Amino acid sequence: MSKPDVPDDLHALHQDDFEHHAPEWSHKQFKRMIWKTRLKLLLNAGGALFLLFILYHVYISVLHIYFDQSKVRNEFLRSIVSVVEMNGDGLRVDKKVQLPFEVTPFLTQKTNLKVYRLVGSWEVITGEIQAELSITGKFRYKITNTGAYLNGNDLGPFYLPYALVGGKPSTDESEENSSLKQLRNLDDGHVAEMSISLKNLKSPEELMQLLSKYDIGVTAMPIYSGELQEKNLSYSRAGMFDYNIPHLSFKPLFELKDNGGRWFNYFPSESKEQSQGTMKEQIEFMLSDLEWMSSNLNYSGVELDQRRLSYLKKNGVQVYGAVVTGPVRELQKIAHNPEFHHFHLNRVEIWNWE
């Protein structure tokens, strides 16, 4: 019996019914595929880099928005002013310009500011400071001086009273020193800055009363903070009993607030009663500023400043000199006052005094 005919479209297809042929790729097609793959990878990498670039700039912008707040910027400026001016000799940091600063991705603030000295009524630029403050409170700075002379004075301009070192001057103090000779040779059309040392420790009020008879401005005072009690303290000797040591500087009031600040170039020279009241305020602020910077910042010498603060709280503030500025003839008059010794002439400028 014959099988019924099955239509062709109902025949079952089997794998063996097909012939398998490997695709034939030309060298040109293969090369094109490789370049398409490379281009795709390159575009993906470029997109990732562009995204990282955008995210980085958004991150930096957010950092600047935060660090640009007055409170944060003021704390950075306060750090610079407090450490630099309190450990200097009449040196000032420029506070009048809008603080130009940068913030690194690791949250470190950096800035470059001018430093100057007050000579008469002029603020004479003497260098630039590069300062940085990390998020952990590590504060570092470097001052680049723009002095005109190579043979400048490397030693400190102030000398401790002889009573503190238990001796007498080894040289004849009647002999005129080089600074006084320079003053004598300057004509009346000049003003100058000069550092003077006291023969005995005095309170800031007593020193201001002593200087009130002269037409000068007082810009800083070296503070005695018990340094000679420190072991292994480095010092320089100018004579048998003449010592100059690192010290803190008491300077006119400087205060920063969120909405601005206030600072004075010179110490007040009002009547005795008024001067005492104002000086008391300045001493209190100086001690609070010293406590703030030695508690919140990590800088070179912070441990010594902490011990100095303890000494000052216990023994009070006494000074052994001053940085003064004014007409050269007025500075000459101070040299005739028996309360002072060791005069050091700093910057000299043409007349600019009122």
Side-chain angles (χ1 to χ4, degrees), residues 158-221:
F158 300 108
Y159 293 83
L160 287 168
Y162 301 129
L164 286 179
V165 293
K168 297 180 180 179
S170 59
T171 57
D172 184 4
E173 290 197 278
S174 63
E175 182 181 352
E176 189 176 40
N177 66 25
S178 60
S179 290
L180 297 184
K181 290 179 181 177
Q182 292 171 357
L183 272 178
R184 184 184 60 193
N185 291 326
L186 290 171
D187 61 47
D188 294 350
H190 290 85
V191 296
E193 181 196 54
M194 187 170 71
S195 301
I196 58 178
S197 300
L198 279 164
K199 291 182 178 179
N200 299 286
L201 290 176
K202 292 186 180 295
S203 69
E205 295 94 339
E206 290 173 334
L207 178 55
M208 287 304 298
Q209 285 300 312
L210 196 60
L211 294 172
S212 62
K213 64 182 73 174
Y214 307 106
D215 182 21
I216 58 165
V218 182
T219 64
M221 304 177 188

Side-chain angles (χ1 to χ4, degrees), residues 2 24 26 38 79-80 85 87 95 147 157 163-164 177-178 230 244 253 265 273 276 295 314-315 338 344 351:
S2 62
E24 295 182 359
S26 66
R38 289 178 177 176
S79 302
I80 301 171
E85 294 188 356
N87 286 278
K95 317 173 190 67
L164 286 179
N177 66 25
S178 60
E230 292 287 333
N244 56 50
L253 181 66
N265 285 338
E273 293 77 13
Q276 284 180 338
S295 301
K314 181 179 179 180
N315 298 279
H344 177 70
W351 184 270

Side-chain angles (χ1 to χ4, degrees), residues 33 62 104 129 148 157 162 195 197:
M33 182 192 71
V62 171
T104 70
I129 179 172
Y162 301 129
S195 301
S197 300

Side-chain angles (χ1 to χ4, degrees), residues 37-93:
T37 303
R38 289 178 177 176
L39 180 60
K40 185 176 181 180
L41 291 175
L42 185 62
L43 290 175
N44 289 339
L49 289 175
F50 180 73
L51 181 60
L52 287 175
F53 176 79
I54 295 298
L55 291 176
Y56 174 78
H57 278 273
V58 170
Y59 173 66
I60 293 296
S61 298
V62 171
L63 285 183
H64 277 81
I65 290 173
Y66 171 74
F67 282 99
D68 198 35
Q69 298 179 61
S70 59
K71 181 179 180 180
V72 178
R73 289 167 64 90
N74 281 354
E75 284 197 358
F76 184 30
L77 181 59
R78 181 181 180 182
S79 302
I80 301 171
V81 173
S82 299
V83 177
V84 174
E85 294 188 356
M86 201 172 292
N87 286 278
D89 293 312
L91 193 67
R92 301 293 178 84
V93 178

Side-chain angles (χ1 to χ4, degrees), residues 97-109:
V97 297
Q98 185 72 14
L99 181 62
F101 82 108
E102 63 173 300
V103 183
T104 70
F106 300 103
L107 308 182
T108 296
Q109 299 179 78

Side-chain angles (χ1 to χ4, degrees), residues 14-23:
H14 301 283
Q15 185 176 2
D16 295 338
D17 295 331
F18 297 92
E19 292 185 1
H20 298 279
H21 299 283

